[in-house]
Amino acid sequence: MDGFDASAHYTQAPEDDKPSLLVLILDTNPFAWSKLHPTLPLPRAVASILLFLNAHLAFSHANRVAVIAAHTKEAVFLYPSTHPSTNSETSVTDDSTQSSNNDPLRDANKYRQFRIVEDEVQASFRRLMASTTPDMLAGTNETMMAGALSLALAYINRLSLASEDPASGGATGGNRTANGTRDADVTSMNARILVLSVSGDLSTQYVSMMNSIFAAQRKKIPIDICKIAGETVFLQQASDATRGIYMQLQHPGSLLQYLMVCFLSFEMF
């Protein structure tokens, strides 16, 4: 019995204990979502996404998330937002928008980080939809996916460099090669991009898309694709080149189940 010691089970650190950063890109093209409305309304999809983000954050206190909307003529951050939500904001539900931030029991019974993410995503989503007028949609129905991927890669790079820089309070002193230069392939966190797409191919964004794919491949950032509707070769290439997951949903109404089973379960291992 003296030859067995179970203490190593509790004291040995895991091989990879880096925090995980998930950048979720949501295709908010109104034309595509109008066709999906009978099966999966956009507000219900947002609610499912928020539950998925909460599950990712629940794996570790150090995990982080970001949400980017790929709209028709722009790509904008929904979280973190430049307009933090306030108590006067309202939240999105399946049927309507209703005021919920004034409920003291809501704050008392919910993990604070969950509430912050939910409130900011919902408030930013409402601002984006309110600012989308018929005049803005005239003349184009293409999603700005290339811009969203560029924003995601830039955000990941900024957080990685900040966490590696001792001047910014990072946990590490920087990852450097033998000649003293920083290794671009090594980051202080595990980052990945998840794209929820409902639009078709992006022929006019070929060069920008390929540049983003090559950049993600260089930084070893997998791009997962959850194809809710439409067909696009570029996103299949992005997933294949970066060793991500590509899934075409057969039942869009079960979006939450797909997210939990196919894009979250691997984090447990």
Side-chain angles (χ1 to χ4, degrees):
M1 295 296 293
D2 294 338
F4 296 93
D5 183 7
S7 61
H9 177 73
Y10 301 99
T11 59
Q12 187 175 12
E15 293 182 2
D16 188 0
D17 57 353
K18 295 180 182 179
S20 179
L21 169 63
L22 170 64
V23 181
L24 188 144
I25 297 177
L26 173 61
D27 183 347
T28 56
N29 188 311
F31 298 99
W33 280 106
S34 64
K35 298 178 181 178
L36 270 174
H37 185 78
T39 304
L40 179 65
L42 180 54
R44 184 150 65 96
V46 172
S48 298
I49 290 170
L50 291 175
L51 289 174
F52 171 70
L53 295 178
N54 288 348
H56 171 79
L57 292 173
F59 273 104
S60 171
H61 180 72
N63 282 2
R64 305 184 67 170
V65 298
V67 184
I68 299 174
H71 212 48
T72 52
K73 292 185 178 180
E74 61 180 346
V76 297
F77 273 96
L78 299 183
Y79 178 86
S81 172
T82 56
H83 303 84
S85 59
T86 62
N87 290 336
S88 61
E89 296 286 356
T90 59
S91 63
V92 179
T93 63
D94 283 352
D95 301 320
S96 61
T97 57
Q98 61 181 8
S99 178
S100 60
N101 290 351
N102 294 327
D103 184 2
L105 295 179
R106 177 174 179 268
D107 290 340
N109 295 303
K110 178 171 289 191
Y111 177 48
R112 184 171 181 270
Q113 187 61 28
F114 293 173
R115 181 184 62 81
I116 291 174
V117 173
E118 289 179 4
D119 288 350
E120 287 202 23
V121 169
Q122 291 170 339
S124 300
F125 175 76
R126 290 183 63 250
R127 280 192 295 268
L128 178 64
M129 293 296 106
S131 65
T132 303
T133 62
D135 292 338
M136 292 179 60
L137 298 177
T140 180
N141 61 352
E142 193 171 84
T143 302
M144 195 58 64
M145 186 59 66
L149 282 173
S150 298
L151 281 180
L153 291 169
Y155 184 75
I156 291 172
N157 186 64
R158 183 168 69 90
L159 288 190
S160 298
L161 294 179
S163 61
E164 293 169 5
D165 186 359
S168 65
T172 65
N175 299 306
R176 299 185 178 274
T177 59
N179 60 2
T181 59
R182 188 180 300 277
D183 185 356
D185 290 335
V186 180
T187 62
S188 60
M189 63 176 63
N190 294 320
R192 65 187 178 107
I193 298 172
L194 172 59
V195 178
L196 272 68
S197 172
V198 295
S199 303
D201 238 335
L202 313 167
S203 57
T204 62
Q205 302 178 42
Y206 174 78
V207 175
S208 299
M209 286 288 294
M210 295 308 298
N211 287 339
S212 296
I213 292 172
F214 292 147
Q217 190 178 37
R218 174 75 171 87
K219 297 288 289 184
K220 295 182 173 61
I221 299 172
I223 300 178
D224 298 332
I225 307 298
C226 179
K227 203 72 181 74
I228 302 175
E231 295 289 343
T232 170
V233 176
F234 294 157
L235 293 183
Q236 293 183 28
Q237 292 178 343
S239 176
D240 181 68
T242 61
R243 297 187 178 183
I245 300 171
Y246 183 91
M247 176 157 291
Q248 179 87 39
L249 303 194
Q250 300 297 322
H251 305 283
S254 302
L255 174 62
L256 180 59
Q257 288 87 335
Y258 282 106
L259 292 175
M260 291 296 190
V261 174
C262 301
F263 298 100
L264 184 71
S265 58
F266 72 91
E267 294 192 21
M268 296 185 292
F269 305 100

